[in-house]
Amino acid sequence: MDTDDEPFNIAASRNAGIIRAERNKSDVAIIADACVLAERDPTLAAIASAFDGLVHLPYDRHRQLSANGTKQYSTGTALRDCHYSAESANTGGVYVATPSAWRACGGQDEEFKGWGGEDNALYIAHATLLGKTPVRHPGYIYCLHHSRTSNPNYGNNLARLALYQKAAGDSAAIRKLVRI
């Protein structure tokens, strides 16, 4: 789901996906970045578990495929066997949640313009408002190689993230920051 926001606003796009899921009376929504692929079994486990009122991450590891790794995947190589340039725990890329769970943690703050910081802010808001961090399921997500674009709002996003970090654990302060 994309929005008409200029500049592009990944948080607004993700929230729009949840709003669409609500309108369609969907039980569970999967919010995934266009460049990210999730493994089947962890995703199914996240869907089955999503009725607990928490946001689920169908992975506990993230692999950034190299250009060669993306080419390998496009010619039939299994994702786990593709060359990658980085691996991390990551906090975004794919979310599985009921619309009510997404709203309970505040969704993604659309004051984050472009990209950067919105995933960490949701993680902090989730932990503060719901008393637990998003649930991770063992497995990988894979980000296909793509050219990196700069975000002129990145500095502002980091400043906004600092507000979340300062408010962590304080429900009233977090509620003043979240938007959905």
PDB file of all heavy atoms in Angstrom, residues 10 14 30-39 43 57-59 61-65 70 73 79 90-95 119 140-146 148:
ATOM      1  N   ILE A  10       7.057   6.062   4.614  1.00  0.00           N
ATOM      2  CA  ILE A  10       6.854   4.628   4.830  1.00  0.00           C
ATOM      3  C   ILE A  10       5.910   4.363   6.004  1.00  0.00           C
ATOM      4  O   ILE A  10       5.100   3.431   5.958  1.00  0.00           O
ATOM      5  CB  ILE A  10       8.195   3.877   4.990  1.00  0.00           C
ATOM      6  CG1 ILE A  10       7.989   2.375   4.823  1.00  0.00           C
ATOM      7  CG2 ILE A  10       8.869   4.215   6.304  1.00  0.00           C
ATOM      8  CD1 ILE A  10       9.267   1.599   4.641  1.00  0.00           C
ATOM      9  N   ARG A  14       2.416   2.167   5.813  1.00  0.00           N
ATOM     10  CA  ARG A  14       2.119   1.024   6.681  1.00  0.00           C
ATOM     11  C   ARG A  14       0.804   1.227   7.421  1.00  0.00           C
ATOM     12  O   ARG A  14      -0.007   0.306   7.515  1.00  0.00           O
ATOM     13  CB  ARG A  14       3.273   0.792   7.645  1.00  0.00           C
ATOM     14  CG  ARG A  14       4.522   0.284   6.930  1.00  0.00           C
ATOM     15  CD  ARG A  14       5.711   0.294   7.829  1.00  0.00           C
ATOM     16  NE  ARG A  14       6.876  -0.310   7.185  1.00  0.00           N
ATOM     17  CZ  ARG A  14       8.108  -0.182   7.647  1.00  0.00           C
ATOM     18  NH1 ARG A  14       8.341   0.501   8.749  1.00  0.00           N
ATOM     19  NH2 ARG A  14       9.108  -0.744   7.009  1.00  0.00           N
ATOM     20  N   ILE A  30      -0.549  -8.358   7.109  1.00  0.00           N
ATOM     21  CA  ILE A  30       0.891  -8.504   6.944  1.00  0.00           C
ATOM     22  C   ILE A  30       1.361  -7.237   6.241  1.00  0.00           C
ATOM     23  O   ILE A  30       0.921  -6.935   5.138  1.00  0.00           O
ATOM     24  CB  ILE A  30       1.253  -9.748   6.104  1.00  0.00           C
ATOM     25  CG1 ILE A  30       0.733 -11.014   6.777  1.00  0.00           C
ATOM     26  CG2 ILE A  30       2.767  -9.817   5.887  1.00  0.00           C
ATOM     27  CD1 ILE A  30       0.874 -12.267   5.935  1.00  0.00           C
ATOM     28  N   ILE A  31       2.213  -6.512   6.904  1.00  0.00           N
ATOM     29  CA  ILE A  31       2.771  -5.277   6.360  1.00  0.00           C
ATOM     30  C   ILE A  31       4.223  -5.582   5.998  1.00  0.00           C
ATOM     31  O   ILE A  31       5.029  -5.892   6.881  1.00  0.00           O
ATOM     32  CB  ILE A  31       2.713  -4.126   7.385  1.00  0.00           C
ATOM     33  CG1 ILE A  31       1.290  -3.910   7.893  1.00  0.00           C
ATOM     34  CG2 ILE A  31       3.328  -2.864   6.827  1.00  0.00           C
ATOM     35  CD1 ILE A  31       0.310  -3.437   6.858  1.00  0.00           C
ATOM     36  N   ALA A  32       4.546  -5.538   4.713  1.00  0.00           N
ATOM     37  CA  ALA A  32       5.898  -5.887   4.262  1.00  0.00           C
ATOM     38  C   ALA A  32       6.418  -4.845   3.284  1.00  0.00           C
ATOM     39  O   ALA A  32       5.690  -4.398   2.397  1.00  0.00           O
ATOM     40  CB  ALA A  32       5.888  -7.269   3.599  1.00  0.00           C
ATOM     41  N   ASP A  33       7.664  -4.464   3.460  1.00  0.00           N
ATOM     42  CA  ASP A  33       8.309  -3.564   2.516  1.00  0.00           C
ATOM     43  C   ASP A  33       8.424  -4.263   1.162  1.00  0.00           C
ATOM     44  O   ASP A  33       8.587  -5.489   1.090  1.00  0.00           O
ATOM     45  CB  ASP A  33       9.691  -3.170   3.018  1.00  0.00           C
ATOM     46  CG  ASP A  33       9.644  -2.321   4.280  1.00  0.00           C
ATOM     47  OD1 ASP A  33       8.534  -1.952   4.726  1.00  0.00           O
ATOM     48  OD2 ASP A  33      10.727  -2.038   4.818  1.00  0.00           O
ATOM     49  N   ALA A  34       8.382  -3.486   0.105  1.00  0.00           N
ATOM     50  CA  ALA A  34       8.402  -4.032  -1.253  1.00  0.00           C
ATOM     51  C   ALA A  34       9.676  -4.808  -1.562  1.00  0.00           C
ATOM     52  O   ALA A  34       9.652  -5.723  -2.390  1.00  0.00           O
ATOM     53  CB  ALA A  34       8.228  -2.904  -2.269  1.00  0.00           C
ATOM     54  N   CYS A  35      10.767  -4.484  -0.893  1.00  0.00           N
ATOM     55  CA  CYS A  35      12.048  -5.130  -1.177  1.00  0.00           C
ATOM     56  C   CYS A  35      12.355  -6.297  -0.238  1.00  0.00           C
ATOM     57  O   CYS A  35      13.444  -6.856  -0.292  1.00  0.00           O
ATOM     58  CB  CYS A  35      13.174  -4.105  -1.097  1.00  0.00           C
ATOM     59  SG  CYS A  35      13.327  -3.362   0.551  1.00  0.00           S
ATOM     60  N   VAL A  36      11.392  -6.677   0.613  1.00  0.00           N
ATOM     61  CA  VAL A  36      11.658  -7.677   1.646  1.00  0.00           C
ATOM     62  C   VAL A  36      10.832  -8.938   1.424  1.00  0.00           C
ATOM     63  O   VAL A  36       9.641  -8.877   1.138  1.00  0.00           O
ATOM     64  CB  VAL A  36      11.368  -7.100   3.055  1.00  0.00           C
ATOM     65  CG1 VAL A  36      11.564  -8.153   4.133  1.00  0.00           C
ATOM     66  CG2 VAL A  36      12.276  -5.905   3.324  1.00  0.00           C
ATOM     67  N   LEU A  37      11.490 -10.077   1.566  1.00  0.00           N
ATOM     68  CA  LEU A  37      10.838 -11.383   1.465  1.00  0.00           C
ATOM     69  C   LEU A  37      10.975 -12.086   2.807  1.00  0.00           C
ATOM     70  O   LEU A  37      12.047 -12.092   3.411  1.00  0.00           O
ATOM     71  CB  LEU A  37      11.500 -12.229   0.371  1.00  0.00           C
ATOM     72  CG  LEU A  37      11.495 -11.617  -1.028  1.00  0.00           C
ATOM     73  CD1 LEU A  37      12.399 -12.404  -1.952  1.00  0.00           C
ATOM     74  CD2 LEU A  37      10.081 -11.559  -1.567  1.00  0.00           C
ATOM     75  N   ALA A  38       9.882 -12.673   3.267  1.00  0.00           N
ATOM     76  CA  ALA A  38       9.878 -13.388   4.544  1.00  0.00           C
ATOM     77  C   ALA A  38       9.760 -14.879   4.288  1.00  0.00           C
ATOM     78  O   ALA A  38       9.149 -15.309   3.302  1.00  0.00           O
ATOM     79  CB  ALA A  38       8.705 -12.910   5.400  1.00  0.00           C
ATOM     80  N   GLU A  39      10.305 -15.656   5.193  1.00  0.00           N
ATOM     81  CA  GLU A  39      10.181 -17.114   5.082  1.00  0.00           C
ATOM     82  C   GLU A  39       8.752 -17.539   5.414  1.00  0.00           C
ATOM     83  O   GLU A  39       8.082 -16.927   6.249  1.00  0.00           O
ATOM     84  CB  GLU A  39      11.169 -17.798   6.031  1.00  0.00           C
ATOM     85  CG  GLU A  39      12.611 -17.598   5.623  1.00  0.00           C
ATOM     86  CD  GLU A  39      13.587 -18.265   6.572  1.00  0.00           C
ATOM     87  OE1 GLU A  39      13.395 -18.166   7.808  1.00  0.00           O
ATOM     88  OE2 GLU A  39      14.534 -18.880   6.079  1.00  0.00           O
ATOM     89  N   THR A  43       6.315 -16.865   9.010  1.00  0.00           N
ATOM     90  CA  THR A  43       5.180 -15.987   8.715  1.00  0.00           C
ATOM     91  C   THR A  43       3.875 -16.662   9.116  1.00  0.00           C
ATOM     92  O   THR A  43       3.007 -16.038   9.736  1.00  0.00           O
ATOM     93  CB  THR A  43       5.163 -15.585   7.226  1.00  0.00           C
ATOM     94  OG1 THR A  43       6.404 -14.932   6.913  1.00  0.00           O
ATOM     95  CG2 THR A  43       4.010 -14.657   6.914  1.00  0.00           C
ATOM     96  N   LEU A  57       6.866 -10.127  14.566  1.00  0.00           N
ATOM     97  CA  LEU A  57       7.894 -10.043  13.529  1.00  0.00           C
ATOM     98  C   LEU A  57       8.187 -11.481  13.111  1.00  0.00           C
ATOM     99  O   LEU A  57       8.652 -12.271  13.947  1.00  0.00           O
ATOM    100  CB  LEU A  57       9.158  -9.384  14.074  1.00  0.00           C
ATOM    101  CG  LEU A  57       8.993  -7.984  14.677  1.00  0.00           C
ATOM    102  CD1 LEU A  57      10.302  -7.502  15.279  1.00  0.00           C
ATOM    103  CD2 LEU A  57       8.482  -7.007  13.655  1.00  0.00           C
ATOM    104  N   PRO A  58       7.914 -11.846  11.849  1.00  0.00           N
ATOM    105  CA  PRO A  58       8.106 -13.235  11.443  1.00  0.00           C
ATOM    106  C   PRO A  58       9.575 -13.557  11.141  1.00  0.00           C
ATOM    107  O   PRO A  58       9.896 -14.207  10.142  1.00  0.00           O
ATOM    108  CB  PRO A  58       7.229 -13.347  10.196  1.00  0.00           C
ATOM    109  CG  PRO A  58       7.263 -11.983   9.599  1.00  0.00           C
ATOM    110  CD  PRO A  58       7.328 -11.043  10.783  1.00  0.00           C
ATOM    111  N   TYR A  59      10.452 -13.083  11.995  1.00  0.00           N
ATOM    112  CA  TYR A  59      11.884 -13.306  11.836  1.00  0.00           C
ATOM    113  C   TYR A  59      12.604 -12.866  13.104  1.00  0.00           C
ATOM    114  O   TYR A  59      12.096 -12.069  13.884  1.00  0.00           O
ATOM    115  CB  TYR A  59      12.434 -12.491  10.645  1.00  0.00           C
ATOM    116  CG  TYR A  59      12.340 -11.008  10.876  1.00  0.00           C
ATOM    117  CD1 TYR A  59      13.406 -10.307  11.427  1.00  0.00           C
ATOM    118  CD2 TYR A  59      11.176 -10.304  10.585  1.00  0.00           C
ATOM    119  CE1 TYR A  59      13.312  -8.952  11.680  1.00  0.00           C
ATOM    120  CE2 TYR A  59      11.079  -8.953  10.838  1.00  0.00           C
ATOM    121  CZ  TYR A  59      12.161  -8.277  11.377  1.00  0.00           C
ATOM    122  OH  TYR A  59      12.054  -6.930  11.639  1.00  0.00           O
ATOM    123  N   ARG A  61      16.193 -12.703  12.388  1.00  0.00           N
ATOM    124  CA  ARG A  61      17.411 -12.314  11.679  1.00  0.00           C
ATOM    125  C   ARG A  61      17.022 -11.702  10.331  1.00  0.00           C
ATOM    126  O   ARG A  61      16.065 -12.136   9.693  1.00  0.00           O
ATOM    127  CB  ARG A  61      18.337 -13.496  11.427  1.00  0.00           C
ATOM    128  CG  ARG A  61      18.807 -14.206  12.675  1.00  0.00           C
ATOM    129  CD  ARG A  61      19.564 -13.365  13.667  1.00  0.00           C
ATOM    130  NE  ARG A  61      20.791 -12.823  13.108  1.00  0.00           N
ATOM    131  CZ  ARG A  61      21.486 -11.834  13.646  1.00  0.00           C
ATOM    132  NH1 ARG A  61      21.081 -11.265  14.760  1.00  0.00           N
ATOM    133  NH2 ARG A  61      22.589 -11.411  13.095  1.00  0.00           N
ATOM    134  N   HIS A  62      17.804 -10.719   9.908  1.00  0.00           N
ATOM    135  CA  HIS A  62      17.589  -9.995   8.656  1.00  0.00           C
ATOM    136  C   HIS A  62      18.864 -10.102   7.821  1.00  0.00           C
ATOM    137  O   HIS A  62      19.958  -9.851   8.330  1.00  0.00           O
ATOM    138  CB  HIS A  62      17.296  -8.526   8.985  1.00  0.00           C
ATOM    139  CG  HIS A  62      17.424  -7.597   7.835  1.00  0.00           C
ATOM    140  ND1 HIS A  62      18.593  -6.944   7.539  1.00  0.00           N
ATOM    141  CD2 HIS A  62      16.529  -7.192   6.905  1.00  0.00           C
ATOM    142  CE1 HIS A  62      18.418  -6.169   6.485  1.00  0.00           C
ATOM    143  NE2 HIS A  62      17.179  -6.311   6.083  1.00  0.00           N
ATOM    144  N   ARG A  63      18.705 -10.497   6.558  1.00  0.00           N
ATOM    145  CA  ARG A  63      19.856 -10.534   5.660  1.00  0.00           C
ATOM    146  C   ARG A  63      19.644  -9.550   4.513  1.00  0.00           C
ATOM    147  O   ARG A  63      18.613  -9.577   3.843  1.00  0.00           O
ATOM    148  CB  ARG A  63      20.066 -11.930   5.074  1.00  0.00           C
ATOM    149  CG  ARG A  63      20.743 -12.859   6.020  1.00  0.00           C
ATOM    150  CD  ARG A  63      21.153 -14.132   5.352  1.00  0.00           C
ATOM    151  NE  ARG A  63      21.847 -14.979   6.314  1.00  0.00           N
ATOM    152  CZ  ARG A  63      22.134 -16.241   6.110  1.00  0.00           C
ATOM    153  NH1 ARG A  63      21.796 -16.832   4.967  1.00  0.00           N
ATOM    154  NH2 ARG A  63      22.762 -16.932   7.023  1.00  0.00           N
ATOM    155  N   GLN A  64      20.628  -8.704   4.315  1.00  0.00           N
ATOM    156  CA  GLN A  64      20.654  -7.770   3.197  1.00  0.00           C
ATOM    157  C   GLN A  64      21.394  -8.461   2.062  1.00  0.00           C
ATOM    158  O   GLN A  64      22.597  -8.704   2.161  1.00  0.00           O
ATOM    159  CB  GLN A  64      21.383  -6.479   3.605  1.00  0.00           C
ATOM    160  CG  GLN A  64      21.532  -5.485   2.490  1.00  0.00           C
ATOM    161  CD  GLN A  64      20.204  -4.891   2.079  1.00  0.00           C
ATOM    162  OE1 GLN A  64      19.415  -4.473   2.923  1.00  0.00           O
ATOM    163  NE2 GLN A  64      19.947  -4.867   0.793  1.00  0.00           N
ATOM    164  N   LEU A  65      20.653  -8.834   0.997  1.00  0.00           N
ATOM    165  CA  LEU A  65      21.311  -9.507  -0.116  1.00  0.00           C
ATOM    166  C   LEU A  65      22.185  -8.522  -0.883  1.00  0.00           C
ATOM    167  O   LEU A  65      21.837  -7.352  -1.048  1.00  0.00           O
ATOM    168  CB  LEU A  65      20.283 -10.120  -1.064  1.00  0.00           C
ATOM    169  CG  LEU A  65      19.396 -11.232  -0.505  1.00  0.00           C
ATOM    170  CD1 LEU A  65      18.518 -11.806  -1.613  1.00  0.00           C
ATOM    171  CD2 LEU A  65      20.203 -12.332   0.153  1.00  0.00           C
ATOM    172  N   THR A  70      20.968 -11.074  -5.001  1.00  0.00           N
ATOM    173  CA  THR A  70      19.661 -10.828  -5.612  1.00  0.00           C
ATOM    174  C   THR A  70      19.592 -11.482  -6.987  1.00  0.00           C
ATOM    175  O   THR A  70      18.578 -12.077  -7.352  1.00  0.00           O
ATOM    176  CB  THR A  70      19.381  -9.316  -5.685  1.00  0.00           C
ATOM    177  OG1 THR A  70      19.331  -8.812  -4.342  1.00  0.00           O
ATOM    178  CG2 THR A  70      18.060  -9.017  -6.383  1.00  0.00           C
ATOM    179  N   TYR A  73      19.087 -15.165  -6.487  1.00  0.00           N
ATOM    180  CA  TYR A  73      17.692 -15.462  -6.167  1.00  0.00           C
ATOM    181  C   TYR A  73      16.824 -15.418  -7.420  1.00  0.00           C
ATOM    182  O   TYR A  73      15.974 -16.282  -7.627  1.00  0.00           O
ATOM    183  CB  TYR A  73      17.166 -14.486  -5.107  1.00  0.00           C
ATOM    184  CG  TYR A  73      15.693 -14.669  -4.835  1.00  0.00           C
ATOM    185  CD1 TYR A  73      15.230 -15.826  -4.213  1.00  0.00           C
ATOM    186  CD2 TYR A  73      14.769 -13.717  -5.232  1.00  0.00           C
ATOM    187  CE1 TYR A  73      13.879 -16.028  -3.978  1.00  0.00           C
ATOM    188  CE2 TYR A  73      13.410 -13.909  -4.997  1.00  0.00           C
ATOM    189  CZ  TYR A  73      12.976 -15.059  -4.373  1.00  0.00           C
ATOM    190  OH  TYR A  73      11.628 -15.253  -4.155  1.00  0.00           O
ATOM    191  N   LEU A  79      16.827 -18.549  -1.076  1.00  0.00           N
ATOM    192  CA  LEU A  79      17.239 -17.333  -0.376  1.00  0.00           C
ATOM    193  C   LEU A  79      18.347 -17.585   0.644  1.00  0.00           C
ATOM    194  O   LEU A  79      19.293 -16.811   0.743  1.00  0.00           O
ATOM    195  CB  LEU A  79      16.039 -16.681   0.309  1.00  0.00           C
ATOM    196  CG  LEU A  79      15.133 -15.861  -0.595  1.00  0.00           C
ATOM    197  CD1 LEU A  79      13.823 -15.531   0.113  1.00  0.00           C
ATOM    198  CD2 LEU A  79      15.841 -14.590  -1.046  1.00  0.00           C
ATOM    199  N   ASN A  90      17.529  -6.354  13.238  1.00  0.00           N
ATOM    200  CA  ASN A  90      16.547  -5.462  12.618  1.00  0.00           C
ATOM    201  C   ASN A  90      15.235  -5.413  13.403  1.00  0.00           C
ATOM    202  O   ASN A  90      14.926  -6.298  14.187  1.00  0.00           O
ATOM    203  CB  ASN A  90      16.290  -5.869  11.167  1.00  0.00           C
ATOM    204  CG  ASN A  90      15.892  -4.712  10.289  1.00  0.00           C
ATOM    205  OD1 ASN A  90      15.801  -3.575  10.735  1.00  0.00           O
ATOM    206  ND2 ASN A  90      15.665  -4.988   9.019  1.00  0.00           N
ATOM    207  N   THR A  91      14.463  -4.370  13.200  1.00  0.00           N
ATOM    208  CA  THR A  91      13.173  -4.238  13.880  1.00  0.00           C
ATOM    209  C   THR A  91      12.034  -3.921  12.929  1.00  0.00           C
ATOM    210  O   THR A  91      10.936  -3.625  13.374  1.00  0.00           O
ATOM    211  CB  THR A  91      13.216  -3.128  14.952  1.00  0.00           C
ATOM    212  OG1 THR A  91      13.569  -1.897  14.315  1.00  0.00           O
ATOM    213  CG2 THR A  91      14.196  -3.446  16.055  1.00  0.00           C
ATOM    214  N   GLY A  92      12.255  -3.947  11.635  1.00  0.00           N
ATOM    215  CA  GLY A  92      11.190  -3.605  10.687  1.00  0.00           C
ATOM    216  C   GLY A  92      11.269  -4.468   9.443  1.00  0.00           C
ATOM    217  O   GLY A  92      11.943  -5.483   9.428  1.00  0.00           O
ATOM    218  N   GLY A  93      10.576  -4.046   8.422  1.00  0.00           N
ATOM    219  CA  GLY A  93      10.595  -4.770   7.155  1.00  0.00           C
ATOM    220  C   GLY A  93       9.361  -5.604   6.932  1.00  0.00           C
ATOM    221  O   GLY A  93       8.770  -5.579   5.867  1.00  0.00           O
ATOM    222  N   VAL A  94       8.949  -6.369   7.939  1.00  0.00           N
ATOM    223  CA  VAL A  94       7.733  -7.173   7.868  1.00  0.00           C
ATOM    224  C   VAL A  94       7.093  -7.208   9.256  1.00  0.00           C
ATOM    225  O   VAL A  94       7.762  -7.516  10.251  1.00  0.00           O
ATOM    226  CB  VAL A  94       7.998  -8.629   7.409  1.00  0.00           C
ATOM    227  CG1 VAL A  94       6.693  -9.408   7.318  1.00  0.00           C
ATOM    228  CG2 VAL A  94       8.734  -8.672   6.080  1.00  0.00           C
ATOM    229  N   TYR A  95       5.815  -6.882   9.290  1.00  0.00           N
ATOM    230  CA  TYR A  95       5.030  -6.937  10.520  1.00  0.00           C
ATOM    231  C   TYR A  95       3.794  -7.791  10.278  1.00  0.00           C
ATOM    232  O   TYR A  95       3.209  -7.750   9.197  1.00  0.00           O
ATOM    233  CB  TYR A  95       4.546  -5.543  10.929  1.00  0.00           C
ATOM    234  CG  TYR A  95       5.637  -4.573  11.290  1.00  0.00           C
ATOM    235  CD1 TYR A  95       6.119  -3.662  10.360  1.00  0.00           C
ATOM    236  CD2 TYR A  95       6.161  -4.554  12.577  1.00  0.00           C
ATOM    237  CE1 TYR A  95       7.112  -2.749  10.696  1.00  0.00           C
ATOM    238  CE2 TYR A  95       7.154  -3.647  12.922  1.00  0.00           C
ATOM    239  CZ  TYR A  95       7.621  -2.751  11.977  1.00  0.00           C
ATOM    240  OH  TYR A  95       8.600  -1.860  12.322  1.00  0.00           O
ATOM    241  N   ASP A 119      10.725   2.358  12.635  1.00  0.00           N
ATOM    242  CA  ASP A 119      10.645   0.990  13.167  1.00  0.00           C
ATOM    243  C   ASP A 119      11.075   0.945  14.633  1.00  0.00           C
ATOM    244  O   ASP A 119      10.426   0.296  15.459  1.00  0.00           O
ATOM    245  CB  ASP A 119      11.521   0.049  12.342  1.00  0.00           C
ATOM    246  CG  ASP A 119      11.017  -0.117  10.928  1.00  0.00           C
ATOM    247  OD1 ASP A 119       9.794  -0.230  10.743  1.00  0.00           O
ATOM    248  OD2 ASP A 119      11.846  -0.133  10.004  1.00  0.00           O
ATOM    249  N   TYR A 140      14.259 -15.864   9.069  1.00  0.00           N
ATOM    250  CA  TYR A 140      14.910 -14.765   8.369  1.00  0.00           C
ATOM    251  C   TYR A 140      13.919 -13.973   7.528  1.00  0.00           C
ATOM    252  O   TYR A 140      12.928 -14.529   7.028  1.00  0.00           O
ATOM    253  CB  TYR A 140      15.972 -15.307   7.402  1.00  0.00           C
ATOM    254  CG  TYR A 140      17.244 -15.735   8.066  1.00  0.00           C
ATOM    255  CD1 TYR A 140      17.412 -17.034   8.535  1.00  0.00           C
ATOM    256  CD2 TYR A 140      18.300 -14.842   8.199  1.00  0.00           C
ATOM    257  CE1 TYR A 140      18.594 -17.433   9.135  1.00  0.00           C
ATOM    258  CE2 TYR A 140      19.489 -15.237   8.800  1.00  0.00           C
ATOM    259  CZ  TYR A 140      19.630 -16.524   9.261  1.00  0.00           C
ATOM    260  OH  TYR A 140      20.796 -16.915   9.858  1.00  0.00           O
ATOM    261  N   ILE A 141      14.243 -12.691   7.354  1.00  0.00           N
ATOM    262  CA  ILE A 141      13.711 -11.918   6.243  1.00  0.00           C
ATOM    263  C   ILE A 141      14.913 -11.537   5.401  1.00  0.00           C
ATOM    264  O   ILE A 141      16.042 -11.449   5.898  1.00  0.00           O
ATOM    265  CB  ILE A 141      12.901 -10.668   6.664  1.00  0.00           C
ATOM    266  CG1 ILE A 141      13.721  -9.720   7.545  1.00  0.00           C
ATOM    267  CG2 ILE A 141      11.587 -11.071   7.307  1.00  0.00           C
ATOM    268  CD1 ILE A 141      13.045  -8.370   7.801  1.00  0.00           C
ATOM    269  N   TYR A 142      14.657 -11.349   4.117  1.00  0.00           N
ATOM    270  CA  TYR A 142      15.714 -11.053   3.156  1.00  0.00           C
ATOM    271  C   TYR A 142      15.353  -9.780   2.414  1.00  0.00           C
ATOM    272  O   TYR A 142      14.263  -9.677   1.851  1.00  0.00           O
ATOM    273  CB  TYR A 142      15.861 -12.202   2.154  1.00  0.00           C
ATOM    274  CG  TYR A 142      16.158 -13.520   2.827  1.00  0.00           C
ATOM    275  CD1 TYR A 142      15.131 -14.345   3.290  1.00  0.00           C
ATOM    276  CD2 TYR A 142      17.469 -13.951   3.009  1.00  0.00           C
ATOM    277  CE1 TYR A 142      15.398 -15.552   3.909  1.00  0.00           C
ATOM    278  CE2 TYR A 142      17.741 -15.156   3.630  1.00  0.00           C
ATOM    279  CZ  TYR A 142      16.698 -15.945   4.077  1.00  0.00           C
ATOM    280  OH  TYR A 142      16.974 -17.144   4.697  1.00  0.00           O
ATOM    281  N   CYS A 143      16.280  -8.839   2.419  1.00  0.00           N
ATOM    282  CA  CYS A 143      16.069  -7.598   1.686  1.00  0.00           C
ATOM    283  C   CYS A 143      16.815  -7.700   0.362  1.00  0.00           C
ATOM    284  O   CYS A 143      18.038  -7.917   0.337  1.00  0.00           O
ATOM    285  CB  CYS A 143      16.579  -6.406   2.495  1.00  0.00           C
ATOM    286  SG  CYS A 143      16.256  -4.829   1.685  1.00  0.00           S
ATOM    287  N   LEU A 144      16.062  -7.577  -0.729  1.00  0.00           N
ATOM    288  CA  LEU A 144      16.683  -7.612  -2.044  1.00  0.00           C
ATOM    289  C   LEU A 144      17.566  -6.382  -2.221  1.00  0.00           C
ATOM    290  O   LEU A 144      17.268  -5.302  -1.700  1.00  0.00           O
ATOM    291  CB  LEU A 144      15.606  -7.647  -3.123  1.00  0.00           C
ATOM    292  CG  LEU A 144      14.650  -8.838  -3.069  1.00  0.00           C
ATOM    293  CD1 LEU A 144      13.553  -8.682  -4.114  1.00  0.00           C
ATOM    294  CD2 LEU A 144      15.396 -10.152  -3.265  1.00  0.00           C
ATOM    295  N   HIS A 145      18.630  -6.546  -2.961  1.00  0.00           N
ATOM    296  CA  HIS A 145      19.544  -5.437  -3.216  1.00  0.00           C
ATOM    297  C   HIS A 145      18.830  -4.362  -4.038  1.00  0.00           C
ATOM    298  O   HIS A 145      18.111  -4.659  -4.979  1.00  0.00           O
ATOM    299  CB  HIS A 145      20.781  -5.929  -3.975  1.00  0.00           C
ATOM    300  CG  HIS A 145      21.718  -4.828  -4.316  1.00  0.00           C
ATOM    301  ND1 HIS A 145      22.561  -4.275  -3.386  1.00  0.00           N
ATOM    302  CD2 HIS A 145      21.930  -4.159  -5.467  1.00  0.00           C
ATOM    303  CE1 HIS A 145      23.261  -3.317  -3.960  1.00  0.00           C
ATOM    304  NE2 HIS A 145      22.900  -3.220  -5.223  1.00  0.00           N
ATOM    305  N   HIS A 146      19.024  -3.128  -3.655  1.00  0.00           N
ATOM    306  CA  HIS A 146      18.513  -1.991  -4.420  1.00  0.00           C
ATOM    307  C   HIS A 146      19.390  -0.799  -4.110  1.00  0.00           C
ATOM    308  O   HIS A 146      20.082  -0.772  -3.081  1.00  0.00           O
ATOM    309  CB  HIS A 146      17.039  -1.704  -4.112  1.00  0.00           C
ATOM    310  CG  HIS A 146      16.746  -1.505  -2.661  1.00  0.00           C
ATOM    311  ND1 HIS A 146      16.928  -0.306  -2.016  1.00  0.00           N
ATOM    312  CD2 HIS A 146      16.305  -2.376  -1.711  1.00  0.00           C
ATOM    313  CE1 HIS A 146      16.586  -0.442  -0.739  1.00  0.00           C
ATOM    314  NE2 HIS A 146      16.215  -1.686  -0.523  1.00  0.00           N
ATOM    315  N   ARG A 148      20.480   2.589  -2.742  1.00  0.00           N
ATOM    316  CA  ARG A 148      20.082   3.342  -1.557  1.00  0.00           C
ATOM    317  C   ARG A 148      19.824   4.783  -1.960  1.00  0.00           C
ATOM    318  O   ARG A 148      20.614   5.385  -2.672  1.00  0.00           O
ATOM    319  CB  ARG A 148      21.174   3.317  -0.489  1.00  0.00           C
ATOM    320  CG  ARG A 148      21.442   1.931   0.038  1.00  0.00           C
ATOM    321  CD  ARG A 148      20.355   1.549   1.000  1.00  0.00           C
ATOM    322  NE  ARG A 148      20.594   0.191   1.460  1.00  0.00           N
ATOM    323  CZ  ARG A 148      19.672  -0.525   2.042  1.00  0.00           C
ATOM    324  NH1 ARG A 148      18.478  -0.049   2.231  1.00  0.00           N
ATOM    325  NH2 ARG A 148      19.940  -1.740   2.443  1.00  0.00           N
TER     326      ARG A 148
END
